[in-house]
Amino acid sequence: MHFLPKANPLYEQISANKVVIPDILEKLGKGHFTGYLSHSATDFEAYCIFAKGKLICAFSSEAGRDKTGFEAITQLFDKIFSVGGEINVYRMTADLAMCAHALILGIKLFNGEEVRHVDIKSMLARIKGQDMNGVVHFYTADRYAMMFYKNGLPIGFYHDGSRNIETSPDESRKVAALPGARLEVRSTKPVEELMNYDLLQMVNLDKLWEAASSRQTTIQTKEASLQTQEPTVQPKEPLVEITSPPSQTTEAHGHSTEKLTELFEDLQEVAMAYLSREGRILIEKRIGEAGGPAALLDNTKTEALLLQIEEDAKVIDSHARIDEMIDLMRSEIAGRLAV
């Protein structure tokens, strides 16, 4: 469970079934919103963090498995259609949004060590010396408290039960002194650098929302069919079946040109989520060289294509989560062509 500050609420405890999340995210972007939107349901949480209208982070977590970016938004939409849940929106300053980003995706300098085994004085000196941007998070099974830093200096404090960002570290010290208290320290980039990344410009929210709605409708239809289906005796299949040779056309495979075009666009969106505009150009180039989207009907060609995309992606950005991107593309291809 992640504990982002719940100070300065804009909306709280809104039923996710009563709103259209893409519209809300778009409005927050156009309104130059700074803060975060959260969604919670049973064993699930998701966060969308904004800085001056830029969606700098999307994160979701279920059963201990975390997703970010394009995958997180997709999972968020799926969860809203399947179980509903609750929406909250909280305002922040840009500096605190940066610290919220650190809480979710920051680099871990300390990760759950017991406070009594850590030289806190040296740790704080290191934070100051490195001009760290991020969070020091103290916690026990029942309590937590956080100290927010910008350029190595504290800019605010927050603890469980608080409704405001505080100016005193007293409560943080109390939590740190509790028996068995542990700490995490997470750092991130300056907010100006984080704002160079804007998911709103990289993904088609409306299309992801429609796809999530369609998936849920399909699931409900199948469940209804299984509940009403009566057992029947199936006729025996002939031992020998004479069939015509398989055609290589999209119609013979049961996949229309429109469906392949949609798959092509989906792959572009996935690539853009991880590699920005260069990702879209990469997909256009490689699928074009392979002979167009119809090449995705051939498993051998598809695997060769994904290997080439993987190599090219590493050249574009060696720090991007390329393996995750390729797995998502492979899943998207299999899911689209299975229907």
Side-chain angles (χ1 to χ4, degrees):
M1 199 73 180
H2 295 75
F3 302 98
L4 270 63
K6 296 181 179 180
N8 203 1
L10 182 61
Y11 303 106
E12 287 189 300
Q13 298 179 334
I14 303 298
S15 172
N17 291 323
K18 296 181 179 180
V19 295
V20 179
I21 299 300
D23 289 350
I24 292 179
L25 295 176
E26 292 286 359
K27 288 177 180 178
L28 293 175
K30 292 177 180 177
H32 303 287
F33 174 76
T34 299
Y36 71 92
L37 175 147
S38 71
H39 172 265
S40 59
T42 305
D43 298 323
F44 178 81
E45 60 179 339
Y47 300 95
C48 296
I49 301 175
F50 287 82
K52 299 180 182 179
K54 308 286 187 181
L55 181 53
I56 62 174
C57 167
F59 171 90
S60 67
S61 181
E62 182 175 30
R65 298 186 63 182
D66 299 342
K67 296 181 183 294
T68 60
F70 177 92
E71 282 192 302
I73 294 174
T74 299
Q75 187 177 40
L76 165 63
F77 289 178
D78 281 337
K79 190 61 65 173
I80 289 173
F81 278 108
S82 61
V83 300
E86 181 179 283
I87 298 294
N88 299 283
V89 181
Y90 296 94
R91 302 183 188 92
M92 287 177 160
T93 64
D95 290 339
L96 285 175
M98 171 185 69
C99 293
H101 180 278
L103 272 171
I104 296 297
L105 293 180
I107 297 171
K108 297 178 181 179
L109 305 181
F110 288 84
N111 186 26
E113 289 87 342
E114 280 199 58
V115 174
R116 63 191 180 94
H117 293 152
V118 177
D119 185 335
I120 299 297
K121 186 176 180 179
S122 295
M123 180 196 75
L124 295 177
R126 176 184 173 187
I127 288 173
K128 184 175 181 180
Q130 294 180 350
D131 293 333
M132 189 193 86
N133 300 300
V135 182
V136 176
H137 176 204
F138 298 108
Y139 62 95
T140 67
D142 303 313
R143 298 289 314 278
Y144 71 89
M146 292 176 279
M147 304 191 299
F148 305 113
Y149 284 82
K150 177 184 179 183
N151 297 332
L153 299 175
I155 60 172
F157 307 90
Y158 184 82
H159 61 87
D160 51 351
S162 175
R163 297 295 292 179
N164 297 290
I165 303 300
E166 300 179 353
T167 58
S168 169
D170 290 348
E171 201 66 28
S172 295
R173 290 171 179 162
K174 291 179 182 178
V175 174
L178 291 173
R182 296 180 178 273
L183 89 154
E184 291 183 347
V185 179
R186 298 189 179 217
S187 68
T188 190
K189 299 175 182 177
V191 68
E192 293 80 11
E193 291 186 35
L194 295 177
M195 287 169 58
N196 291 327
Y197 178 85
D198 184 8
L199 267 169
L200 292 181
Q201 302 301 318
M202 297 177 185
V203 298
N204 187 325
L205 295 178
D206 290 334
K207 188 169 183 179
L208 293 182
W209 183 254
E210 291 171 3
S213 175
S214 178
R215 283 192 291 272
Q216 184 61 26
T217 299
T218 300
I219 291 171
Q220 291 174 345
T221 301
K222 288 181 178 179
E223 290 177 347
S225 176
L226 289 173
Q227 291 174 359
T228 59
Q229 188 176 24
E230 295 292 335
T232 58
V233 178
Q234 297 293 330
K236 292 184 178 180
E237 295 290 335
L239 294 178
V240 179
E241 183 179 359
I242 300 174
T243 61
S244 58
S247 169
Q248 295 301 311
T249 64
T250 58
E251 289 75 18
H253 282 274
H255 302 295
S256 67
T257 301
E258 181 182 359
K259 182 176 290 186
L260 287 171
T261 300
E262 289 177 353
L263 174 57
F264 173 60
E265 292 172 351
D266 288 345
L267 296 180
Q268 285 182 307
E269 289 191 9
V270 172
M272 285 182 68
Y274 289 86
L275 302 171
S276 299
R277 184 179 299 178
E278 290 177 299
R280 177 180 59 79
I281 296 172
L282 170 59
I283 297 301
E284 287 180 355
K285 177 183 176 183
R286 288 306 178 189
I287 290 185
E289 291 174 348
L296 298 170
L297 295 171
D298 186 307
N299 291 335
T300 302
K301 289 182 179 180
T302 297
E303 285 303 313
L305 182 61
L306 290 175
L307 286 174
Q308 185 63 62
I309 291 172
E310 182 177 8
E311 292 301 316
D312 292 344
K314 290 177 180 177
V315 174
I316 293 173
D317 186 353
S318 60
H319 298 293
R321 296 184 297 277
I322 306 302
D323 291 344
E324 182 180 294
M325 181 187 78
I326 296 299
D327 287 343
L328 185 57
M329 287 183 177
R330 187 174 283 113
S331 175
E332 191 71 22
I333 292 169
R336 282 279 188 180
L337 300 185
V339 180

